[in-house]
Amino acid sequence: MKNCKKILKVLLYVFVIHLLLLPSFIFKQFGQLDLEQLLFLFMSDGAGADLSVVKDFFLYTIPVVLVIFMLYFVMHLFNKRFGEKIKNLKWFGKLYSMTWLRTLLSKSISRVVLVVVMVALFLNSQFNVSGYILNSQDTTYLYEVNYIDPDNVEITFPDEKRNLVYIVLESLNTNFGEIEIDGDIVDLIPNIKALANSNVSFSHSTGFGGFQHLRGMTWTVASLVGQTSGVPLNVPLKNNKYGTTGHFLPGIKTMGEILADNGYSNYFLMGSDGDFGGRQTYFETHGDYEIIDTKYLKETGYIPEDYDVFWGMEDLKLFDVAKAKLTEVAEKGEPFNFSLLTVDTHYPIGYVDETCDLTYDNDYANAIQCSDLKIIEFVKWIQQQDFYENTTVILTGDHETMNNEFLNLSVQEEKRMYNTFLNLPFEVDADVLVNREFSALDMFPTTLVAMGAQIEGDRLGLGSNLFSGKSTLIEKYGVDYLDEEFGKKSDYYNMKFFIKELDEE
């Protein structure tokens, strides 16, 4: 029985050490994450995790645990040899005579309570849990003042509707165009960087650049929501059932629905399970998208039932599926929106297929370089197809890479996400492309305009049509203000966008 207590005590200490190390591991690996992201991934339908991250966590903690126990062992030996002498010291006797301190140090329950309180305070300091809770109790009126309901403005499409190919590039920072790898400054994305520089691309500077993070859009599904609806993905502490009730922001009007209302067919292709993060529910209930994910590809026999590469299926196969499906869709002769999401550049180290060289010692650098080649080859294929003449092609990153250590190797201190527009049906004023501060929110109206649509007032959701030169929310308020407001409770958001899910609880 005595040995069992000792074992339990050791396990408790090991658990506490791991809890204390968790925040530093997360920030080291991913950078500063929104608490909303952690809550969403643990509570939404289809949430999951890359098990390699778990392995990396234990590789990070085990050496620390061993060092701590070695120090404890040394201190134990020191105490056996010199403990009595120290206790006989006058100052120690006075300190130990304090009843409350002696009780605290001698009672196991008190020790446990003390450890729990210390852990709670430490985790709070790292993740600002109390700040999140307090801030979420405040109310923002940002939506009442700035949200433009697509149902309340006129959106006009040309008689000859243009198709859309919308390519979402996983974790694609523009910073990869100038980054220090193996002691040299290299360009890991020369092809898509050249594509941006020779076509239309919005930048935060006068050179190669892009858009930035805002709270509530710092992970894939949240960015997809922002880009297609013009609102961030809020994660309330209660009733967070995204996707589990068959609804996902049921009150919102999205790009998919606008396109469907105008005779478009919507498709979304991804090399992973569409249920992850509720993506399938979101797109199916907002525009009746045909979802082509790993479940679908297994059911149709394209990949075996037991196929499992990286997050499900690598981009080498994803682009082959995209070519076949696009050919099939284009032959129907109807306007279409074909969206796809790459995966090979996903955290932690990406994926490199057998067709790519391993140029660098850094695995993630190789994955990004390989992805650059795959993307440009796919874009060139699109440009050679008959349907390209009447098709707008957009490439955009979703969020910053979560490989924070890698991103910090970039030459540019500012972190931005990639965007490029191809084959637009109009000329663009060069002045609106540079020195812009914008976010995923602005992709919503900008994408529709890139297809030839006209939007009354040039704003939709919380986004602005970038081609119009109209100020974005970031240009109007600044990032810090918006991040704070997006962390607050919004009665408008809950009652208009989220109400059906709340009613079902």
Side-chain angles (χ1 to χ4, degrees):
M1 187 68 179
K2 191 174 182 181
N3 288 334
C4 288
K5 286 184 177 180
K6 286 184 177 179
I7 293 172
L8 288 173
K9 184 185 290 186
V10 170
L11 291 176
L12 175 63
Y13 288 144
V14 170
F15 175 73
V16 168
I17 294 170
H18 277 79
L19 273 182
L20 292 172
L21 291 172
L22 180 61
S24 63
F25 170 78
I26 289 176
F27 295 149
K28 176 177 178 291
Q29 298 288 94
F30 302 103
Q32 182 71 48
L33 293 184
D34 292 338
L35 183 60
E36 291 97 320
Q37 180 176 355
L38 299 177
L39 290 172
F40 182 87
L41 291 178
F42 278 109
M43 299 171 68
S44 64
D45 184 37
D50 184 350
L51 292 180
S52 66
V53 177
V54 178
K55 181 188 77 172
D56 289 344
F57 174 61
F58 284 110
L59 288 176
Y60 177 76
T61 59
I62 287 174
V64 179
V65 172
L66 291 176
V67 169
I68 289 173
F69 275 96
M70 285 177 61
L71 289 173
Y72 175 83
F73 180 70
V74 170
M75 290 174 66
H76 178 71
L77 294 178
F78 182 85
N79 183 57
K80 284 185 70 174
R81 180 154 187 184
F82 302 107
E84 289 300 321
K85 293 181 180 179
I86 293 174
K87 287 179 182 179
N88 292 329
L89 294 175
K90 186 176 181 180
W91 64 267
F92 187 87
K94 286 183 178 180
L95 182 66
Y96 200 71
S97 65
M98 300 170 70
T99 306
W100 67 271
L101 181 61
R102 188 168 64 252
T103 301
L104 188 64
L105 294 174
S106 61
K107 298 292 184 181
S108 296
I109 295 177
S110 298
R111 291 181 202 162
V112 171
V113 171
L114 178 63
V115 168
V116 170
V117 170
M118 289 176 64
V119 169
L121 290 173
F122 180 73
L123 292 177
N124 179 65
S125 70
Q126 299 298 303
F127 291 112
N128 193 25
V129 178
S130 61
Y132 169 75
I133 295 173
L134 290 172
N135 194 43
S136 65
Q137 303 310 304
D138 290 339
T139 299
T140 180
Y141 297 98
L142 188 73
Y143 295 90
E144 286 87 341
V145 175
N146 295 281
Y147 180 77
I148 303 298
D149 191 333
D151 285 328
N152 294 337
V153 297
E154 187 175 353
I155 304 172
T156 308
F157 283 81
D159 293 335
E160 186 180 357
K161 296 183 175 67
R162 295 178 64 80
N163 306 311
L164 172 66
V165 176
Y166 197 84
I167 307 169
V168 183
L169 308 175
E170 174 64 47
S171 306
L172 212 295
N173 281 80
T174 57
N175 304 78
F176 300 153
E178 197 175 10
I179 192 165
E180 184 177 348
I181 305 295
D182 300 341
D184 297 317
I185 305 299
V186 300
D187 183 356
L188 298 177
I189 51 172
N191 293 293
I192 62 171
K193 181 177 179 180
L195 189 72
N197 289 334
S198 59
N199 289 278
V200 172
S201 180
F202 294 93
S203 175
H204 66 290
S205 66
T206 56
F208 180 55
F211 65 95
Q212 63 180 298
H213 266 167
L214 279 179
R215 186 171 187 163
M217 288 169 285
T218 57
W219 68 102
T220 298
V221 67
S223 179
L224 291 174
V225 169
Q227 293 188 37
T228 56
S229 73
V231 300
L233 185 54
N234 285 355
V235 184
L237 287 175
K238 296 180 181 179
N239 304 301
N240 177 23
K241 300 294 182 182
Y242 286 106
T244 60
T245 61
H247 299 295
F248 195 123
L249 297 178
I252 205 165
K253 184 72 171 283
T254 72
M255 183 174 73
E257 288 161 299
I258 293 170
L259 294 178
D261 290 344
N262 283 274
Y264 282 79
S265 297
N266 293 311
Y267 305 86
F268 198 97
L269 167 65
M270 64 193 98
S272 54
D273 190 329
D275 286 333
F276 182 81
R279 293 172 298 179
Q280 182 157 349
T281 299
Y282 175 72
F283 285 108
E284 285 184 340
T285 59
H286 292 290
D288 194 26
Y289 281 73
E290 179 180 325
I291 303 299
I292 309 157
D293 65 349
T294 51
K295 295 195 308 297
Y296 172 88
L297 293 171
K298 288 177 180 180
E299 290 169 3
T300 57
Y302 181 79
I303 55 177
E305 281 291 334
D306 60 350
Y307 196 84
D308 186 23
V309 173
F310 200 37
W311 276 68
M313 185 182 75
E314 70 275 32
D315 288 345
L316 181 65
K317 283 186 167 57
L318 179 88
F319 286 127
D320 282 343
V321 173
K323 292 175 184 178
K325 192 66 180 179
L326 266 171
T327 301
E328 174 191 321
V329 167
E331 288 175 351
K332 295 180 180 180
E334 301 172 351
F336 62 82
N337 158 32
F338 191 90
S339 301
L340 65 149
L341 170 66
T342 67
V343 71
D344 281 358
T345 47
H346 201 290
Y347 174 86
I349 58 172
Y351 178 81
V352 181
D353 64 62
E354 65 275 11
T355 67
C356 286
D357 296 329
L358 301 177
T359 307
Y360 305 101
D361 292 334
N362 188 300
D363 292 330
Y364 200 42
N366 290 324
I368 294 166
Q369 178 181 252
C370 182
S371 182
D372 175 67
L373 295 170
K374 294 287 181 294
I375 294 165
I376 199 66
E377 190 277 329
F378 179 60
V379 169
K380 288 179 178 178
W381 177 86
I382 293 174
Q383 292 174 322
Q384 294 167 359
Q385 307 309 304
D386 291 339
F387 65 78
Y388 180 68
E389 183 180 354
N390 193 41
T391 298
T392 296
V393 179
I394 299 175
L395 298 90
T396 175
D398 53 357
H399 54 76
E400 288 183 4
T401 177
M402 294 179 185
N403 191 327
N404 193 55
E405 281 187 307
F406 186 86
L407 187 56
N408 285 336
L409 298 174
S410 62
V411 173
Q412 297 295 327
E413 190 172 324
E414 294 177 309
K415 311 299 193 300
R416 294 294 189 271
M417 276 71 73
Y418 184 88
N419 75 95
T420 295
F421 296 75
L422 307 177
N423 201 28
L424 294 172
F426 52 81
E427 294 295 323
V428 181
D429 183 354
D431 290 341
V432 304
L433 299 177
V434 297
N435 298 318
R436 301 301 303 273
E437 292 297 344
F438 62 109
S439 70
L441 300 172
D442 302 298
M443 294 300 292
F444 178 32
T446 304
T447 296
L448 292 172
V449 171
M451 299 171 68
Q454 293 183 345
I455 301 171
E456 178 188 358
D458 284 311
R459 295 194 66 250
L460 279 183
L462 296 177
S464 298
N465 165 25
L466 295 170
F467 295 112
S468 71
K470 184 160 286 191
S471 294
T472 67
L473 239 61
I474 295 180
E475 290 168 339
K476 184 177 180 180
Y477 294 113
V479 171
D480 292 341
Y481 175 82
L482 291 174
D483 281 345
E484 182 177 353
E485 293 301 298
F486 286 157
K488 295 178 181 179
K489 177 180 66 175
S490 169
D491 294 332
Y492 187 97
Y493 191 104
N494 289 337
M495 296 305 296
K496 183 171 178 60
F497 307 144
F498 202 55
I499 187 168
K500 287 184 182 178
E501 290 180 294
L502 293 176
D503 287 344
E504 292 191 6
E505 288 302 306

